[in-house]
Amino acid sequence: MDESAAAPAPARRGGNGRAGRVAYDLDAVLAVAVQAFNERGYDATSMGELAERLGTSKSAIYYHVSGKQELLRLALERALGNLEALLQEPGEEDGQSDAAAPTALDRLERVLRGAVRVLVEELPFVTLLLRLRGNTDVEREALARRREFDHAVARLVEEAVADGALRSDVDARTATRLLFGMVNSLVEWYRPGGGLTADQLADAVVAMAFEGLRAQPDPRR
């Protein structure tokens, strides 16, 4: 769902109590804030502008959050938390796992497909993450977590190379940058409702990526 296009939902509680103004829940406030951050930049967006976009007062926003920085933190957590969850193997949370352990290539494909789905489902939030400049502590922390995610994916690429599933003549970090460069480019052109589902996009990304990276049989054998 396109969060940036969704109409803010009335809150079940909160608001400033002024007649003629609608109270909003935290999700609605966050959606409006992320849209503003993406359009104007975080630094250029004031709490006053957010209140104006919501048609409410700044005090009504402060009912939900301590300020603009907390809105940024919550927005980035929504993107990063979903991406980081992709690195966890199915069944790890409840102590269960499949009898046959997935290969590094299986895990890499699952992460890649999942990253496409996260981008499609949380498009405004991932867009915000990808446009960070690192001007605040919150942004720098988010960028550090994003780098660690990239490093974890690079390690999967290295394992797949060691298994003989991926070609060994491409550096793992370079391959990771190329893979996620392709995924991240979706924020520039993908629009919800355009006819392509998240699964169709993931199929295309995996096909384009792995047909080029997959190890080929030695013709001399």
Side-chain angles (χ1 to χ4, degrees):
M1 186 177 75
D2 181 6
E3 293 286 345
S4 64
R12 295 182 180 178
R13 60 181 183 136
N16 56 21
R18 296 182 182 180
R21 288 186 171 180
V22 179
Y24 294 96
D25 62 20
L26 178 57
D27 284 343
V29 172
L30 194 58
V32 170
V34 170
Q35 184 177 28
F37 295 161
N38 283 333
E39 290 174 358
R40 291 179 48 78
Y42 171 75
D43 293 333
T45 303
S46 67
M47 291 293 283
E49 179 177 348
L50 295 181
E52 184 176 348
R53 288 184 179 224
L54 286 162
T56 189
S57 67
K58 287 192 289 185
S59 62
I61 301 177
Y62 285 124
Y63 174 85
H64 297 289
V65 293
S66 60
K68 191 174 70 166
Q69 184 168 266
E70 186 176 358
L71 285 169
L72 178 64
R73 180 183 59 77
L74 290 171
L76 294 174
E77 180 59 41
R78 185 153 163 176
L80 283 164
N82 281 303
L83 288 173
E84 291 166 343
L86 299 174
L87 298 172
Q88 189 169 47
E89 290 302 311
E92 276 189 0
E93 285 188 345
D94 53 15
Q96 300 177 358
S97 60
D98 296 331
T103 66
L105 185 62
D106 291 336
R107 289 152 58 203
L108 179 61
E109 180 174 339
R110 185 173 66 83
V111 170
L112 198 59
R113 287 183 179 278
V116 173
R117 286 194 296 271
V118 169
L119 188 144
V120 169
E121 294 168 4
E122 306 289 358
L123 182 59
F125 298 87
V126 177
T127 299
L128 180 63
L129 173 64
L130 296 178
R131 293 178 180 175
L132 291 183
R133 296 181 178 180
N135 293 335
T136 66
D137 289 341
V138 171
E139 292 175 82
R140 287 188 286 272
E141 179 183 350
L143 288 172
R145 288 172 63 183
R146 182 182 163 194
R147 283 192 297 271
E148 182 51 42
F149 175 81
D150 290 345
H151 293 165
V153 175
R155 289 191 289 272
L156 283 179
V157 174
E158 290 172 348
E159 289 180 40
V161 170
D163 291 344
L166 296 182
R167 56 195 299 171
S168 60
D169 59 334
V170 178
D171 175 72
R173 294 290 170 88
T174 300
T176 302
R177 291 188 181 99
L178 292 172
L179 287 173
F180 280 93
M182 180 164 48
V183 173
N184 294 342
S185 71
L186 297 177
V187 304
E188 303 300 332
W189 61 266
Y190 175 76
R191 295 296 177 267
L196 284 174
T197 66
D199 286 339
Q200 288 171 329
L201 280 172
D203 287 343
V205 168
V206 167
M208 292 288 290
F210 290 155
E211 286 307 309
L213 284 174
R214 197 179 300 275
Q216 301 298 318
D218 189 337
R220 296 170 295 182
R221 294 182 181 177

